[in-house]
Amino acid sequence: MDQSLLNTFADTLDIRYSVLDNLSDGRGAYRGSIHITNTSSSQLGYGKWGIYFCHLRMMEPDFIPVSDSHLYEDVKMQVKHINGCLFILEPVKGFATLKTGQTIEIQFKAQYYSVARTDVFPNWYLTSEGLEPRLIKSTVGESLEFVSSFDTPSKWKRFDYELSNGQRRTDLYDPWSAEFRFKNNEANTGGGEPDVKLIVPTPYQLEVRPGDPVNLQEPGWIVWSHDQVRDEARHLSESLGLNLVECSEVEVAGRDRTVLVMLGSVAPPDPESADNQEAYSLDIGSKCVRLLAPASAGIFYAGRSLLSLRSSDGTLPLVSVVDFPRFQYRGMHVDVSRNFHTKDEVVALLDVMSCYKLNRLHLHLTDDEGWRLQIPGLEELTQVGGRRGHDLEEKQFLLPVLGSGPAPDLYPGSGFYTVQDYREILKEAARRHIEVIPEIDMPGHSHAAIVAMAARCRRLRKEGRPEEEICQYLLSDIENPFKVQSVQMFSDNVLDPGRESTYAFIDKIVKEVKAMHEGVSPLKMFHLGGDEVPYKAWLESPACQARITAGEVSSVTELMGYFVKRVAQIVKSHGLDVAAWQDGIVMKKTELFDRSDFDNDNVVVYAWKNVWETGMASDTVKLANAGYQVVMSQATHLYFDHPYEPHPEERGLYWSGRYLDTHKVFSFMPDTLYANADRKMTGEPFTEAELKKLSLEDECMLTRPENIIGLQGQLWSELVRTPGQLQEMITPRIIALAERAWHKASWEDVTDRSQLEVLRQKDWADFASTLGSKELLTLEDMNITYYLPPPGVRLLEAGRVMTANCAYPGLPMYYSWDGRSTWHRYSQPVDVPPDSTEVTLITRSFNGQRSSREVTVNLLKP
């Protein structure tokens, strides 16, 4: 095969990927097929060619990874695991030439289950020895048209098997029908007319006074501020289109048409808010507008509330607001490692966060799939670890995992923030009163760092540098990399805690990251990750065995504690607090590291593992009671990489629950964790007895509530490759997150569950209407690609009348009787034309440029 022929096959091979059956093989595997059709005029015979592809689940788990490959005898092709999610299909001797128009079918087994189109990665590519790899055109792009439909229960359901106790574990979820969605939307309205919220998140106290609205665009209005909050006043004046004047307070005292931005104490509406530096008051009168707060952050939030109050004609109601946040920590986590997301994307997110008074951006900067922050003196971290491409030895860049394709330096597989980029992100965050928390994930999820430091070692050795310098930051044994695989199928992805060079590397990283923050936004806390560590890999390490022999630890099982405490000491030496994911501090279901082992002023733990049946949700309470500060990051309610609906065409992972819509985020009750336990993984509701058992366990009694410091939404980006996908997965769920993090609803304290549901649904109806009539318009004005929910549809009067609704009332809905040729705006129930056989509906953005997933209803079905 020459390059021209390879290019031809890449352009003409038709790949078809299908999930066939998730249910027949029990809990451990599903069956699928890959069809390869030769549509070219050339014949594809046996040779040293292969098709590389990324696969979310382990292929042929009965054989791999014990063996690195599996042969499909009937077609004489084998699948081989490279590392992570990267596999290759290649012919073996006896492969029958694939002639023009012929198809081969490879029937495979893969681990667990697959129930959504976006489980499949795009950008498969063809290689042949000595030639440049080329993308297979039929697999390119975000449409994923080469993936077959999930059109039967065995394809869209995850499992159906018998437990050891004889009971059956069955996936109860089906894709939502148009009628089910209509019923769900209707049930969530709470009854009655909704009240649109004037300010989101809901303020603690808001009084609307009678009188004509104020129009700040009328001549004579100015903004004046105390010097200490001049930056916040300037931001407000620019947003309002008013002049910010510089004069004494005496000169503006008593002046009409003045927006006063002032530092001062706020009369606390609640004793707990007396010293809250984010508290504020806002008073809008006909002649004067006053923003008052004890610190600049409160002034900024008062300004956000003022801007939220503006109506479409630019006027403001006469109101008095006294407000303060529920939690000190109100965060959003974004994974920029799995797939890179640019500085501009991050700044756009900061804009959204600031609109809704979120104050922490947690950047997941490193993982197996990429190192995304330039570190002076360790150039390989980004030159090698920040790039992906077809380099099987990973000497120039990382493997092209997650569907990033063979060409290096292409977004989103490749990319990183320079020091200047990162400092600009910090600057933009500081302007919005948002603290950036950098996470360098370790000791697991470290494949990119390990590969990069091995490349550094090779470079220095080639340059003839001293051995001490060559090995200064080495993270594992180059000649004998760890073979044990992580959850994400990576080998060689865990740092060696036995090596002193590992800790020298970490000290270097902490030092350089802290230096980047200086002069812009001083670093307060370093997040070490600590999650999903394949501990058994350390059995392979001579350096770890030496630690055991020396008596520093008694066994390999104690190495994680040794590592975390040493890293915490390094972080402390730089004057910083330390943070980790739940499994970085929790070793087993009942074992925590003792808080007294850490000298850091604050140790913050992000609690995420709360699949109710596992019993691990109680770690949140145990950690708080043990003296750790806890950020609630529960996967069932706060993982925004999960789909909005249990539908095969919705993007997202679903390991902690089949779906996570905005309503579920809104419904989260941080103060009573187990009150959020609604359904099991199967979709089966918990019984009253099961709920009582969960909520009354002694281990779940919170005795130190002050250690629950806040909430955080999480977006992991394995399946998120574009700016639009990033924004759709985050918005509008982030607005519901902000509502719960800033405001405690009165219904959260109601103990009667049925009464709680009535009150919560009424509050949701108000919130959803606020989204549909106001907040989504705000996002659209900011060029944010928010998620558009498909409509719900119901047929009335024996199918003669169609009615529709939307999860966010106010979003435009359209319908078509003629197969999408003509669209009509929906406003009220519509008579069904007598000759129509189906109707298609969509939700559209206000500007008409985007549409939701289509909903088609068969009008002939009874």
Side-chain angles (χ1 to χ4, degrees):
M1 184 183 294
D2 61 15
Q3 189 67 55
S4 176
L5 188 57
L6 184 143
N7 294 349
T8 297
F9 283 128
D11 286 343
T12 56
L13 283 180
D14 185 60
I15 304 290
R16 172 63 58 178
Y17 180 100
S18 305
V19 170
L20 303 177
D21 185 3
N22 286 300
L23 305 182
S24 297
D25 286 284
R27 65 184 298 177
Y30 72 92
R31 296 181 180 271
S33 68
I34 298 170
H35 288 77
I36 305 172
T37 302
N38 181 6
T39 68
S40 77
S41 58
S42 301
Q43 298 184 5
L44 181 60
Y46 170 71
K48 294 183 178 181
W49 59 267
I51 295 173
Y52 284 87
F53 65 102
C54 294
H55 204 257
L56 189 63
R57 314 293 188 197
M58 177 60 74
M59 295 285 287
E60 302 300 340
D62 293 339
F63 306 97
I64 304 174
V66 175
S67 170
D68 69 349
S69 64
H70 174 67
L71 175 65
Y72 299 105
E73 184 67 42
D74 56 336
V75 294
K76 296 297 183 182
M77 292 193 77
Q78 69 176 1
V79 64
K80 182 181 294 185
H81 181 224
I82 308 302
N83 204 2
C85 66
L86 188 64
F87 294 81
I88 182 175
L89 279 170
E90 56 189 359
V92 299
K93 287 185 178 179
F95 175 80
T97 296
L98 189 63
K99 298 178 181 179
T100 300
Q102 286 187 335
T103 299
I104 57 173
E105 179 186 9
I106 299 166
Q107 292 208 1
F108 66 85
K109 285 176 68 174
Q111 198 169 26
Y112 305 129
Y113 39 74
S114 179
V115 298
R117 184 181 299 272
T118 58
D119 286 354
V120 184
F121 293 105
N123 302 326
W124 299 26
Y125 64 95
L126 182 66
T127 66
S128 186
E129 188 174 10
L131 302 180
E132 289 294 317
R134 291 289 183 263
L135 287 171
I136 298 174
K137 189 174 181 179
S138 61
T139 70
V140 172
E142 292 303 321
S143 66
L144 300 175
E145 292 178 358
F146 72 100
V147 182
S148 298
S149 297
F150 293 73
D151 51 9
T152 64
S154 65
K155 297 178 183 179
W156 72 58
K157 288 184 179 290
R158 296 163 291 168
F159 44 74
D160 182 15
Y161 60 90
E162 189 174 288
L163 298 168
S164 58
N165 61 8
Q167 295 181 345
R168 196 143 197 94
R169 189 170 188 257
T170 302
D171 185 358
L172 300 182
Y173 286 108
D174 291 306
W176 288 359
S177 66
E179 164 66 27
F180 183 93
R181 191 179 300 108
F182 184 95
K183 183 179 179 181
N184 195 52
N185 292 340
E186 186 178 54
N188 287 342
T189 61
E193 286 296 316
D195 298 316
V196 173
K197 294 176 179 286
L198 293 176
I199 299 173
V200 176
T202 303
Y204 185 86
Q205 195 175 86
L206 185 151
E207 177 189 354
V208 180
R209 301 191 301 271
D212 293 334
V214 179
N215 188 348
L216 299 185
Q217 302 309 307
E218 292 179 352
W221 280 94
I222 61 170
V223 177
W224 178 91
S225 77
H226 284 145
D227 290 342
Q228 301 94 318
V229 287
R230 180 73 60 177
D231 289 343
E232 288 72 24
R234 183 175 297 107
H235 178 272
L236 181 61
S237 67
E238 291 171 355
S239 299
L240 295 172
L242 301 179
N243 289 328
L244 175 62
V245 301
E246 294 190 22
C247 60
S248 69
E249 188 171 350
V250 174
E251 291 178 80
V252 297
R255 183 191 184 280
D256 289 349
R257 299 198 171 188
T258 303
V259 178
L260 297 172
V261 181
M262 308 177 71
L263 284 175
S265 61
V266 176
D270 185 302
E272 294 182 6
S273 71
D275 60 350
N276 194 313
Q277 296 299 293
E278 295 179 302
Y280 70 89
S281 68
L282 170 64
D283 188 85
I284 300 177
S286 58
K287 297 181 179 181
C288 179
V289 175
R290 182 188 297 267
L291 293 75
L292 182 68
S296 58
I299 290 293
F300 182 79
Y301 299 140
R304 295 312 312 177
S305 291
L306 187 153
L307 295 172
S308 179
L309 286 163
R310 280 193 301 182
S311 61
S312 57
D313 62 5
T315 60
L316 295 164
L318 305 184
V319 299
S320 293
V321 179
V322 180
D323 199 10
F324 65 97
R326 174 186 195 170
F327 289 115
Q328 62 175 283
Y329 188 113
R330 306 176 302 280
M332 183 67 215
H333 157 282
V334 180
D335 170 11
V336 298
S337 174
R338 266 57 177 271
N339 283 304
F340 182 62
H341 299 283
T342 65
K343 179 185 71 175
D344 289 343
E345 292 176 68
V346 173
V347 172
L349 175 60
L350 290 170
D351 278 337
V352 175
M353 292 175 65
S354 70
C355 275
Y356 300 103
K357 304 183 177 77
L358 296 172
N359 67 350
R360 301 288 197 282
L361 174 63
H362 175 173
L363 284 179
H364 185 79
L365 292 164
T366 71
D367 214 294
D368 296 314
E369 298 87 349
W371 183 288
R372 306 303 185 180
L373 181 61
Q374 180 185 24
I375 301 295
L378 298 179
E379 286 72 22
E380 282 84 359
L381 284 172
T382 46
Q383 291 176 356
V384 177
R387 303 166 66 207
R388 297 207 292 253
H390 184 68
D391 175 10
L392 299 184
E393 294 182 345
E394 295 188 299
K395 290 184 177 179
Q396 299 180 71
F397 28 75
L398 302 179
L399 294 172
V401 293
L402 303 178
S404 55
D409 301 325
L410 293 182
Y411 170 94
S414 298
F416 61 90
Y417 306 121
T418 65
V419 171
Q420 184 61 33
D421 289 336
Y422 186 68
R423 285 174 65 84
E424 288 174 10
I425 289 172
L426 296 177
K427 181 179 178 181
E428 293 297 328
R431 287 180 57 231
R432 295 160 176 82
H433 290 272
I434 295 171
E435 177 186 341
V436 175
I437 298 169
E439 179 191 347
I440 307 297
D441 205 350
M442 60 180 83
H445 291 280
S446 294
H447 183 71
I450 291 168
V451 168
M453 289 302 93
R456 178 182 184 273
C457 179
R458 287 192 297 270
R459 174 178 63 82
L460 295 179
R461 183 162 282 133
K462 186 176 181 181
E463 293 174 359
R465 301 291 184 87
E467 192 67 20
E468 181 180 340
E469 182 182 353
I470 291 171
C471 299
Q472 183 179 6
Y473 300 122
L474 201 57
L475 303 175
S476 68
D477 188 335
I478 295 179
E479 303 302 324
N480 297 288
F482 291 134
K483 297 178 179 62
V484 172
Q485 290 190 353
S486 69
V487 174
Q488 287 81 16
M489 303 182 290
F490 271 98
S491 57
D492 201 22
N493 95 316
V494 59
L495 306 184
D496 190 333
R499 290 176 171 269
E500 278 303 309
S501 54
T502 295
Y503 303 103
F505 171 82
I506 294 167
D507 185 69
K508 168 72 171 173
I509 298 299
V510 176
K511 176 185 176 182
E512 295 295 342
V513 173
K514 182 182 179 183
M516 292 180 209
H517 281 251
E518 289 175 0
V520 183
S521 177
L523 185 62
K524 301 175 184 176
M525 182 167 73
F526 182 86
H527 197 302
L528 63 83
D531 60 315
E532 297 180 328
V533 178
Y535 307 111
K536 289 182 180 179
W538 294 333
L539 291 169
E540 306 170 21
S541 165
C544 289
Q545 295 302 321
R547 298 263 183 206
I548 296 171
T549 301
E552 295 179 62
V553 293
S554 62
S555 67
V556 169
T557 59
E558 291 188 5
L559 280 168
M560 182 62 181
Y562 175 86
F563 175 84
V564 169
K565 291 166 190 176
R566 278 203 62 175
V567 174
Q569 289 170 359
I570 292 170
V571 172
K572 171 66 175 178
S573 73
H574 290 279
L576 303 174
D577 293 335
V578 69
W581 294 106
Q582 173 180 346
D583 35 344
I585 299 297
V586 180
M587 286 294 292
K588 298 177 182 177
K589 287 188 177 182
T590 59
E591 181 182 348
L592 306 181
F593 297 143
D594 195 308
R595 175 62 181 87
S596 63
D597 291 342
F598 298 89
D599 293 330
N600 310 74
D601 293 340
N602 295 293
V603 181
V604 180
V605 182
Y606 293 70
W608 62 283
K609 302 179 79 169
N610 77 305
V611 174
W612 307 112
E613 298 97 310
T614 66
M616 298 178 74
S618 61
D619 288 347
T620 300
V621 175
K622 294 175 187 176
L623 286 160
N625 290 345
Y628 295 98
Q629 292 187 314
V630 178
V631 176
M632 303 188 81
S633 310
Q634 278 72 19
T636 58
H637 287 71
L638 299 173
Y639 263 44
F640 295 173
D641 54 321
H642 285 33
Y644 281 88
E645 280 192 13
H647 195 286
E649 299 300 327
E650 292 283 343
R651 182 176 306 279
L653 300 170
Y654 37 81
W655 63 266
S656 77
R658 186 60 187 88
Y659 75 99
L660 174 57
D661 59 9
T662 308
H663 175 261
K664 190 168 184 178
V665 181
F666 176 88
S667 300
F668 186 59
M669 296 178 284
D671 292 354
T672 50
L673 181 58
Y674 276 95
N676 298 290
D678 50 359
R679 292 181 180 274
K680 303 175 185 178
M681 278 286 289
T682 60
E684 179 186 2
F686 282 102
T687 66
E688 287 297 324
E690 289 169 332
L691 285 173
K692 186 175 182 180
K693 182 176 184 296
L694 286 173
S695 61
L696 292 182
E697 289 177 345
D698 290 339
E699 63 181 8
C700 298
M701 300 303 294
L702 181 63
T703 58
R704 300 183 66 180
E706 70 277 6
N707 284 332
I708 305 292
I709 64 170
L711 304 184
Q712 180 171 277
Q714 279 66 229
L715 180 69
W716 301 99
S717 69
E718 291 99 322
L719 307 184
V720 179
R721 291 177 288 273
T722 71
Q725 291 168 4
L726 179 83
Q727 292 175 355
E728 280 190 349
M729 298 302 280
I730 292 174
T731 56
R733 289 188 278 207
I734 194 173
I735 308 178
L737 166 72
E739 176 75 1
R740 289 285 70 81
W742 183 276
H743 170 72
K744 180 175 180 178
S746 59
W747 45 261
E748 293 187 57
D749 287 331
V750 175
T751 55
D752 182 271
R753 201 167 183 86
S754 60
Q755 185 183 1
L756 182 152
E757 285 302 324
V758 170
L759 296 173
R760 178 162 57 187
Q761 295 306 75
K762 174 60 174 76
D763 196 19
W764 165 253
D766 296 346
F767 186 82
S769 293
T770 304
L771 290 179
S773 63
K774 179 183 172 186
E775 301 305 328
L776 298 184
L777 259 173
T778 298
L779 295 180
E780 202 161 298
D781 289 342
M782 299 166 62
N783 295 316
I784 297 298
T785 306
Y786 55 85
Y787 172 78
L788 287 163
V793 186
R794 173 172 288 172
L795 298 177
L796 306 173
E797 300 181 20
R800 295 191 298 272
V801 176
M802 179 196 72
T803 184
N805 63 13
C806 181
Y808 316 134
L811 274 175
M813 293 182 289
Y814 289 80
Y815 60 93
S816 174
W817 305 113
D818 57 7
R820 307 169 188 82
S821 296
T822 309
W823 292 97
H824 310 276
R825 175 80 179 259
Y826 178 86
S827 59
Q828 60 186 10
V830 182
D831 291 337
V832 176
D835 58 343
S836 293
T837 59
E838 68 177 26
V839 61
T840 302
L841 295 95
I842 54 174
T843 305
R844 279 185 181 161
S845 58
F846 293 100
N847 61 18
Q849 295 179 4
R850 296 189 303 113
S851 300
S852 70
R853 179 165 48 83
E854 291 182 353
V855 173
T856 299
V857 178
N858 187 335
L859 300 172
L860 300 181
K861 285 186 177 181

